Amino acid sequence: MLNGTEEVIYFSARSKKGDWDIYKIARIDGLNWSSPQPLSSNINSAGDELFPVVVNGGKQLFFSSTGHFGAGGFDLYVSNWNEREQDWDTPQNLGFPYSSVHDDLLLIHSNDGL
């Protein structure tokens, strides 16, 4: 994701507790990247968070989670970047048909935005 002049990569990895959380790294210069930083508790819950996808010029984060309120299993969520807080807002469940009682893991936007 390009956020102003900052290049950021979001990814899922196991935390020290053993659950899956979303982390980010930022490019420091042409060769170096920052240490991985977990996202805040707005995104990372007591459950698992997987498959982060950033769209809309870095303004929206889509991901799957078992830890936020949902229909069951993994559900799909979106969070908007809050410029004032410099953090992601509270995630919103995408609801049916994107989230169901089954495991819903990944949302990919097409080039036409649909």
mmCIF file of all heavy atoms in Angstrom, residues 44-85:
data_model
loop_
_atom_site.group_PDB
_atom_site.id
_atom_site.type_symbol
_atom_site.label_atom_id
_atom_site.label_comp_id
_atom_site.label_asym_id
_atom_site.label_seq_id
_atom_site.Cartn_x
_atom_site.Cartn_y
_atom_site.Cartn_z
ATOM 1 N N ASN A 44 -6.806 -6.465 15.503
ATOM 2 C CA ASN A 44 -6.411 -7.750 16.088
ATOM 3 C C ASN A 44 -7.231 -8.014 17.347
ATOM 4 O O ASN A 44 -7.232 -7.222 18.282
ATOM 5 C CB ASN A 44 -4.921 -7.758 16.403
ATOM 6 C CG ASN A 44 -4.077 -7.827 15.147
ATOM 7 O OD1 ASN A 44 -4.461 -8.448 14.164
ATOM 8 N ND2 ASN A 44 -2.927 -7.187 15.172
ATOM 9 N N SER A 45 -7.935 -9.152 17.340
ATOM 10 C CA SER A 45 -8.823 -9.528 18.438
ATOM 11 C C SER A 45 -8.244 -10.731 19.173
ATOM 12 O O SER A 45 -7.136 -11.167 18.889
ATOM 13 C CB SER A 45 -10.199 -9.890 17.862
ATOM 14 O OG SER A 45 -10.095 -11.097 17.123
ATOM 15 N N ALA A 46 -9.025 -11.295 20.072
ATOM 16 C CA ALA A 46 -8.616 -12.512 20.766
ATOM 17 C C ALA A 46 -8.701 -13.725 19.839
ATOM 18 O O ALA A 46 -8.144 -14.778 20.148
ATOM 19 C CB ALA A 46 -9.495 -12.732 21.996
ATOM 20 N N GLY A 47 -9.375 -13.575 18.697
ATOM 21 C CA GLY A 47 -9.476 -14.651 17.711
ATOM 22 C C GLY A 47 -8.364 -14.544 16.678
ATOM 23 O O GLY A 47 -7.297 -13.978 16.942
ATOM 24 N N ASP A 48 -8.618 -15.071 15.498
ATOM 25 C CA ASP A 48 -7.646 -15.054 14.403
ATOM 26 C C ASP A 48 -8.054 -14.028 13.357
ATOM 27 O O ASP A 48 -9.231 -13.914 13.015
ATOM 28 C CB ASP A 48 -7.571 -16.430 13.731
ATOM 29 C CG ASP A 48 -6.949 -17.485 14.634
ATOM 30 O OD1 ASP A 48 -5.997 -17.156 15.363
ATOM 31 O OD2 ASP A 48 -7.420 -18.637 14.598
ATOM 32 N N GLU A 49 -7.061 -13.309 12.822
ATOM 33 C CA GLU A 49 -7.251 -12.381 11.710
ATOM 34 C C GLU A 49 -6.321 -12.823 10.578
ATOM 35 O O GLU A 49 -5.124 -13.005 10.806
ATOM 36 C CB GLU A 49 -6.937 -10.934 12.116
ATOM 37 C CG GLU A 49 -8.056 -10.266 12.878
ATOM 38 C CD GLU A 49 -8.240 -10.790 14.283
ATOM 39 O OE1 GLU A 49 -7.248 -10.996 15.000
ATOM 40 O OE2 GLU A 49 -9.403 -11.004 14.662
ATOM 41 N N LEU A 50 -6.900 -12.987 9.384
ATOM 42 C CA LEU A 50 -6.143 -13.512 8.240
ATOM 43 C C LEU A 50 -6.403 -12.697 6.979
ATOM 44 O O LEU A 50 -7.412 -12.009 6.863
ATOM 45 C CB LEU A 50 -6.556 -14.960 7.954
ATOM 46 C CG LEU A 50 -6.206 -16.012 8.987
ATOM 47 C CD1 LEU A 50 -6.854 -17.339 8.606
ATOM 48 C CD2 LEU A 50 -4.705 -16.161 9.123
ATOM 49 N N PHE A 51 -5.509 -12.859 6.019
ATOM 50 C CA PHE A 51 -5.656 -12.409 4.642
ATOM 51 C C PHE A 51 -5.997 -10.928 4.480
ATOM 52 O O PHE A 51 -7.008 -10.576 3.873
ATOM 53 C CB PHE A 51 -6.674 -13.272 3.889
ATOM 54 C CG PHE A 51 -6.379 -14.742 3.961
ATOM 55 C CD1 PHE A 51 -7.266 -15.623 4.552
ATOM 56 C CD2 PHE A 51 -5.191 -15.243 3.456
ATOM 57 C CE1 PHE A 51 -6.982 -16.975 4.630
ATOM 58 C CE2 PHE A 51 -4.893 -16.594 3.516
ATOM 59 C CZ PHE A 51 -5.795 -17.468 4.110
ATOM 60 N N PRO A 52 -5.169 -10.036 5.016
ATOM 61 C CA PRO A 52 -5.436 -8.601 4.835
ATOM 62 C C PRO A 52 -5.256 -8.175 3.384
ATOM 63 O O PRO A 52 -4.308 -8.591 2.716
ATOM 64 C CB PRO A 52 -4.395 -7.941 5.733
ATOM 65 C CG PRO A 52 -3.270 -8.923 5.792
ATOM 66 C CD PRO A 52 -3.920 -10.285 5.732
ATOM 67 N N VAL A 53 -6.181 -7.373 2.902
ATOM 68 C CA VAL A 53 -6.118 -6.795 1.558
ATOM 69 C C VAL A 53 -6.420 -5.312 1.703
ATOM 70 O O VAL A 53 -7.472 -4.946 2.223
ATOM 71 C CB VAL A 53 -7.137 -7.459 0.601
ATOM 72 C CG1 VAL A 53 -7.118 -6.789 -0.764
ATOM 73 C CG2 VAL A 53 -6.874 -8.955 0.473
ATOM 74 N N VAL A 54 -5.495 -4.467 1.245
ATOM 75 C CA VAL A 54 -5.669 -3.021 1.338
ATOM 76 C C VAL A 54 -6.034 -2.490 -0.045
ATOM 77 O O VAL A 54 -5.390 -2.809 -1.036
ATOM 78 C CB VAL A 54 -4.380 -2.342 1.861
ATOM 79 C CG1 VAL A 54 -4.537 -0.839 1.908
ATOM 80 C CG2 VAL A 54 -4.036 -2.887 3.233
ATOM 81 N N VAL A 55 -7.096 -1.682 -0.098
ATOM 82 C CA VAL A 55 -7.590 -1.123 -1.366
ATOM 83 C C VAL A 55 -7.892 0.362 -1.180
ATOM 84 O O VAL A 55 -7.743 0.907 -0.091
ATOM 85 C CB VAL A 55 -8.838 -1.879 -1.876
ATOM 86 C CG1 VAL A 55 -8.537 -3.343 -2.134
ATOM 87 C CG2 VAL A 55 -9.999 -1.733 -0.913
ATOM 88 N N ASN A 56 -8.370 0.965 -2.256
ATOM 89 C CA ASN A 56 -8.821 2.345 -2.235
ATOM 90 C C ASN A 56 -7.707 3.288 -1.784
ATOM 91 O O ASN A 56 -7.907 4.128 -0.910
ATOM 92 C CB ASN A 56 -10.070 2.479 -1.361
ATOM 93 C CG ASN A 56 -10.787 3.788 -1.563
ATOM 94 O OD1 ASN A 56 -10.549 4.491 -2.535
ATOM 95 N ND2 ASN A 56 -11.668 4.117 -0.633
ATOM 96 N N GLY A 57 -6.514 3.093 -2.362
ATOM 97 C CA GLY A 57 -5.389 3.955 -2.046
ATOM 98 C C GLY A 57 -4.947 3.887 -0.600
ATOM 99 O O GLY A 57 -4.469 4.865 -0.040
ATOM 100 N N GLY A 58 -5.104 2.714 0.017
ATOM 101 C CA GLY A 58 -4.702 2.546 1.402
ATOM 102 C C GLY A 58 -5.721 3.005 2.412
ATOM 103 O O GLY A 58 -5.433 3.099 3.603
ATOM 104 N N LYS A 59 -6.943 3.266 1.971
ATOM 105 C CA LYS A 59 -7.982 3.792 2.868
ATOM 106 C C LYS A 59 -8.905 2.719 3.430
ATOM 107 O O LYS A 59 -9.664 2.971 4.358
ATOM 108 C CB LYS A 59 -8.832 4.853 2.162
ATOM 109 C CG LYS A 59 -8.040 6.023 1.627
ATOM 110 C CD LYS A 59 -7.412 6.805 2.746
ATOM 111 C CE LYS A 59 -6.700 8.028 2.179
ATOM 112 N NZ LYS A 59 -5.822 8.652 3.142
ATOM 113 N N GLN A 60 -8.869 1.498 2.863
ATOM 114 C CA GLN A 60 -9.718 0.419 3.344
ATOM 115 C C GLN A 60 -8.907 -0.853 3.510
ATOM 116 O O GLN A 60 -8.098 -1.201 2.635
ATOM 117 C CB GLN A 60 -10.879 0.147 2.397
ATOM 118 C CG GLN A 60 -11.919 1.243 2.384
ATOM 119 C CD GLN A 60 -13.091 0.871 1.511
ATOM 120 O OE1 GLN A 60 -12.923 0.557 0.338
ATOM 121 N NE2 GLN A 60 -14.290 0.907 2.094
ATOM 122 N N LEU A 61 -9.158 -1.547 4.608
ATOM 123 C CA LEU A 61 -8.510 -2.819 4.911
ATOM 124 C C LEU A 61 -9.599 -3.880 5.014
ATOM 125 O O LEU A 61 -10.507 -3.772 5.845
ATOM 126 C CB LEU A 61 -7.750 -2.716 6.242
ATOM 127 C CG LEU A 61 -7.189 -4.010 6.817
ATOM 128 C CD1 LEU A 61 -6.058 -4.541 5.941
ATOM 129 C CD2 LEU A 61 -6.709 -3.784 8.244
ATOM 130 N N PHE A 62 -9.525 -4.884 4.142
ATOM 131 C CA PHE A 62 -10.429 -6.026 4.194
ATOM 132 C C PHE A 62 -9.652 -7.202 4.784
ATOM 133 O O PHE A 62 -8.469 -7.382 4.480
ATOM 134 C CB PHE A 62 -10.924 -6.404 2.786
ATOM 135 C CG PHE A 62 -11.889 -5.406 2.215
ATOM 136 C CD1 PHE A 62 -11.437 -4.281 1.546
ATOM 137 C CD2 PHE A 62 -13.261 -5.606 2.331
ATOM 138 C CE1 PHE A 62 -12.313 -3.360 1.020
ATOM 139 C CE2 PHE A 62 -14.156 -4.691 1.800
ATOM 140 C CZ PHE A 62 -13.681 -3.563 1.150
ATOM 141 N N PHE A 63 -10.315 -8.014 5.605
ATOM 142 C CA PHE A 63 -9.656 -9.173 6.209
ATOM 143 C C PHE A 63 -10.712 -10.133 6.727
ATOM 144 O O PHE A 63 -11.899 -9.798 6.795
ATOM 145 C CB PHE A 63 -8.712 -8.744 7.349
ATOM 146 C CG PHE A 63 -9.398 -8.075 8.504
ATOM 147 C CD1 PHE A 63 -9.726 -8.794 9.649
ATOM 148 C CD2 PHE A 63 -9.713 -6.727 8.462
ATOM 149 C CE1 PHE A 63 -10.362 -8.177 10.716
ATOM 150 C CE2 PHE A 63 -10.342 -6.107 9.522
ATOM 151 C CZ PHE A 63 -10.665 -6.830 10.661
ATOM 152 N N SER A 64 -10.290 -11.343 7.101
ATOM 153 C CA SER A 64 -11.197 -12.308 7.703
ATOM 154 C C SER A 64 -10.827 -12.471 9.175
ATOM 155 O O SER A 64 -9.677 -12.306 9.563
ATOM 156 C CB SER A 64 -11.151 -13.650 6.969
ATOM 157 O OG SER A 64 -9.852 -14.193 7.029
ATOM 158 N N SER A 65 -11.844 -12.789 9.996
ATOM 159 C CA SER A 65 -11.609 -12.884 11.432
ATOM 160 C C SER A 65 -12.601 -13.834 12.079
ATOM 161 O O SER A 65 -13.744 -13.948 11.641
ATOM 162 C CB SER A 65 -11.759 -11.500 12.076
ATOM 163 O OG SER A 65 -11.650 -11.580 13.486
ATOM 164 N N THR A 66 -12.137 -14.482 13.150
ATOM 165 C CA THR A 66 -13.021 -15.263 14.019
ATOM 166 C C THR A 66 -13.281 -14.528 15.327
ATOM 167 O O THR A 66 -14.049 -15.000 16.152
ATOM 168 C CB THR A 66 -12.405 -16.641 14.364
ATOM 169 O OG1 THR A 66 -11.161 -16.432 15.045
ATOM 170 C CG2 THR A 66 -12.212 -17.495 13.124
ATOM 171 N N GLY A 67 -12.640 -13.382 15.529
ATOM 172 C CA GLY A 67 -12.697 -12.711 16.813
ATOM 173 C C GLY A 67 -13.641 -11.537 16.923
ATOM 174 O O GLY A 67 -13.937 -11.081 18.021
ATOM 175 N N HIS A 68 -14.106 -11.018 15.820
ATOM 176 C CA HIS A 68 -15.070 -9.919 15.839
ATOM 177 C C HIS A 68 -16.469 -10.500 15.695
ATOM 178 O O HIS A 68 -16.645 -11.618 15.219
ATOM 179 C CB HIS A 68 -14.783 -8.928 14.700
ATOM 180 C CG HIS A 68 -13.460 -8.249 14.839
ATOM 181 N ND1 HIS A 68 -13.254 -7.200 15.701
ATOM 182 C CD2 HIS A 68 -12.273 -8.485 14.232
ATOM 183 C CE1 HIS A 68 -11.993 -6.805 15.613
ATOM 184 N NE2 HIS A 68 -11.378 -7.569 14.731
ATOM 185 N N PHE A 69 -17.490 -9.725 16.069
ATOM 186 C CA PHE A 69 -18.874 -10.195 15.983
ATOM 187 C C PHE A 69 -19.185 -10.636 14.554
ATOM 188 O O PHE A 69 -18.915 -9.909 13.609
ATOM 189 C CB PHE A 69 -19.842 -9.083 16.404
ATOM 190 C CG PHE A 69 -21.271 -9.479 16.274
ATOM 191 C CD1 PHE A 69 -21.852 -10.308 17.214
ATOM 192 C CD2 PHE A 69 -22.027 -9.048 15.205
ATOM 193 C CE1 PHE A 69 -23.186 -10.696 17.097
ATOM 194 C CE2 PHE A 69 -23.355 -9.426 15.078
ATOM 195 C CZ PHE A 69 -23.924 -10.249 16.027
ATOM 196 N N GLY A 70 -19.728 -11.856 14.419
ATOM 197 C CA GLY A 70 -20.006 -12.355 13.084
ATOM 198 C C GLY A 70 -21.044 -13.450 13.065
ATOM 199 O O GLY A 70 -21.657 -13.780 14.084
ATOM 200 N N ALA A 71 -21.210 -14.035 11.888
ATOM 201 C CA ALA A 71 -22.231 -15.054 11.665
ATOM 202 C C ALA A 71 -21.752 -16.447 12.044
ATOM 203 O O ALA A 71 -22.543 -17.358 12.187
ATOM 204 C CB ALA A 71 -22.674 -15.041 10.200
ATOM 205 N N GLY A 72 -20.441 -16.634 12.178
ATOM 206 C CA GLY A 72 -19.900 -17.943 12.531
ATOM 207 C C GLY A 72 -18.671 -18.266 11.717
ATOM 208 O O GLY A 72 -18.568 -17.889 10.559
ATOM 209 N N GLY A 73 -17.723 -18.932 12.331
ATOM 210 C CA GLY A 73 -16.465 -19.228 11.655
ATOM 211 C C GLY A 73 -15.746 -17.933 11.308
ATOM 212 O O GLY A 73 -15.878 -16.921 11.993
ATOM 213 N N PHE A 74 -14.976 -17.961 10.233
ATOM 214 C CA PHE A 74 -14.341 -16.736 9.732
ATOM 215 C C PHE A 74 -15.366 -15.928 8.957
ATOM 216 O O PHE A 74 -16.085 -16.468 8.126
ATOM 217 C CB PHE A 74 -13.171 -17.076 8.790
ATOM 218 C CG PHE A 74 -11.905 -17.442 9.503
ATOM 219 C CD1 PHE A 74 -11.588 -18.762 9.737
ATOM 220 C CD2 PHE A 74 -11.024 -16.462 9.936
ATOM 221 C CE1 PHE A 74 -10.423 -19.118 10.374
ATOM 222 C CE2 PHE A 74 -9.852 -16.794 10.579
ATOM 223 C CZ PHE A 74 -9.545 -18.126 10.805
ATOM 224 N N ASP A 75 -15.444 -14.651 9.234
ATOM 225 C CA ASP A 75 -16.286 -13.726 8.485
ATOM 226 C C ASP A 75 -15.394 -12.658 7.864
ATOM 227 O O ASP A 75 -14.253 -12.455 8.287
ATOM 228 C CB ASP A 75 -17.320 -13.052 9.383
ATOM 229 C CG ASP A 75 -18.515 -13.939 9.691
ATOM 230 O OD1 ASP A 75 -18.653 -15.003 9.053
ATOM 231 O OD2 ASP A 75 -19.307 -13.567 10.564
ATOM 232 N N LEU A 76 -15.930 -11.952 6.877
ATOM 233 C CA LEU A 76 -15.186 -10.892 6.192
ATOM 234 C C LEU A 76 -15.552 -9.526 6.761
ATOM 235 O O LEU A 76 -16.724 -9.242 7.014
ATOM 236 C CB LEU A 76 -15.479 -10.938 4.693
ATOM 237 C CG LEU A 76 -14.988 -12.202 3.989
ATOM 238 C CD1 LEU A 76 -15.482 -12.241 2.559
ATOM 239 C CD2 LEU A 76 -13.470 -12.282 4.025
ATOM 240 N N TYR A 77 -14.520 -8.694 6.935
ATOM 241 C CA TYR A 77 -14.678 -7.375 7.552
ATOM 242 C C TYR A 77 -13.973 -6.319 6.716
ATOM 243 O O TYR A 77 -13.041 -6.619 5.964
ATOM 244 C CB TYR A 77 -14.066 -7.366 8.960
ATOM 245 C CG TYR A 77 -14.766 -8.311 9.891
ATOM 246 C CD1 TYR A 77 -14.430 -9.659 9.924
ATOM 247 C CD2 TYR A 77 -15.789 -7.866 10.711
ATOM 248 C CE1 TYR A 77 -15.091 -10.537 10.758
ATOM 249 C CE2 TYR A 77 -16.459 -8.745 11.554
ATOM 250 C CZ TYR A 77 -16.100 -10.074 11.567
ATOM 251 O OH TYR A 77 -16.765 -10.953 12.385
ATOM 252 N N VAL A 78 -14.405 -5.073 6.906
ATOM 253 C CA VAL A 78 -13.724 -3.929 6.315
ATOM 254 C C VAL A 78 -13.508 -2.902 7.415
ATOM 255 O O VAL A 78 -14.359 -2.700 8.289
ATOM 256 C CB VAL A 78 -14.504 -3.316 5.127
ATOM 257 C CG1 VAL A 78 -15.860 -2.787 5.561
ATOM 258 C CG2 VAL A 78 -13.671 -2.250 4.439
ATOM 259 N N SER A 79 -12.350 -2.262 7.372
ATOM 260 C CA SER A 79 -12.043 -1.172 8.282
ATOM 261 C C SER A 79 -11.526 -0.006 7.454
ATOM 262 O O SER A 79 -10.753 -0.198 6.505
ATOM 263 C CB SER A 79 -10.986 -1.601 9.304
ATOM 264 O OG SER A 79 -10.669 -0.529 10.173
ATOM 265 N N ASN A 80 -11.951 1.200 7.803
ATOM 266 C CA ASN A 80 -11.508 2.405 7.102
ATOM 267 C C ASN A 80 -10.385 3.082 7.873
ATOM 268 O O ASN A 80 -10.394 3.093 9.110
ATOM 269 C CB ASN A 80 -12.682 3.372 6.918
ATOM 270 C CG ASN A 80 -13.735 2.794 6.007
ATOM 271 O OD1 ASN A 80 -13.452 2.403 4.883
ATOM 272 N ND2 ASN A 80 -14.953 2.706 6.500
ATOM 273 N N TRP A 81 -9.432 3.651 7.140
ATOM 274 C CA TRP A 81 -8.317 4.363 7.756
ATOM 275 C C TRP A 81 -8.820 5.691 8.313
ATOM 276 O O TRP A 81 -9.464 6.462 7.614
ATOM 277 C CB TRP A 81 -7.212 4.594 6.735
ATOM 278 C CG TRP A 81 -6.045 5.320 7.334
ATOM 279 C CD1 TRP A 81 -5.668 6.596 7.075
ATOM 280 C CD2 TRP A 81 -5.107 4.812 8.286
ATOM 281 N NE1 TRP A 81 -4.555 6.919 7.815
ATOM 282 C CE2 TRP A 81 -4.186 5.844 8.567
ATOM 283 C CE3 TRP A 81 -4.962 3.585 8.937
ATOM 284 C CZ2 TRP A 81 -3.136 5.690 9.468
ATOM 285 C CZ3 TRP A 81 -3.911 3.419 9.825
ATOM 286 C CH2 TRP A 81 -3.015 4.450 10.081
ATOM 287 N N ASN A 82 -8.546 5.928 9.587
ATOM 288 C CA ASN A 82 -8.938 7.160 10.259
ATOM 289 C C ASN A 82 -7.724 8.085 10.276
ATOM 290 O O ASN A 82 -6.791 7.873 11.048
ATOM 291 C CB ASN A 82 -9.424 6.864 11.677
ATOM 292 C CG ASN A 82 -9.952 8.074 12.383
ATOM 293 O OD1 ASN A 82 -9.405 9.168 12.272
ATOM 294 N ND2 ASN A 82 -11.017 7.875 13.136
ATOM 295 N N GLU A 83 -7.738 9.061 9.405
ATOM 296 C CA GLU A 83 -6.596 9.970 9.250
ATOM 297 C C GLU A 83 -6.307 10.735 10.543
ATOM 298 O O GLU A 83 -5.151 10.905 10.925
ATOM 299 C CB GLU A 83 -6.871 10.951 8.107
ATOM 300 C CG GLU A 83 -5.665 11.709 7.638
ATOM 301 C CD GLU A 83 -4.618 10.823 6.973
ATOM 302 O OE1 GLU A 83 -4.980 9.905 6.218
ATOM 303 O OE2 GLU A 83 -3.413 11.057 7.233
ATOM 304 N N ARG A 84 -7.341 11.161 11.228
ATOM 305 C CA ARG A 84 -7.161 11.932 12.461
ATOM 306 C C ARG A 84 -6.509 11.092 13.551
ATOM 307 O O ARG A 84 -5.605 11.534 14.243
ATOM 308 C CB ARG A 84 -8.495 12.477 12.944
ATOM 309 C CG ARG A 84 -8.402 13.432 14.116
ATOM 310 C CD ARG A 84 -9.771 13.854 14.532
ATOM 311 N NE ARG A 84 -10.556 12.627 14.625
ATOM 312 C CZ ARG A 84 -11.476 12.368 15.525
ATOM 313 N NH1 ARG A 84 -11.809 13.257 16.388
ATOM 314 N NH2 ARG A 84 -12.111 11.238 15.555
ATOM 315 N N GLU A 85 -6.962 9.839 13.707
ATOM 316 C CA GLU A 85 -6.440 8.942 14.742
ATOM 317 C C GLU A 85 -5.170 8.212 14.298
ATOM 318 O O GLU A 85 -4.493 7.601 15.128
ATOM 319 C CB GLU A 85 -7.491 7.903 15.133
ATOM 320 C CG GLU A 85 -8.752 8.488 15.722
ATOM 321 C CD GLU A 85 -8.526 9.098 17.089
ATOM 322 O OE1 GLU A 85 -7.697 8.567 17.850
ATOM 323 O OE2 GLU A 85 -9.180 10.115 17.384
#
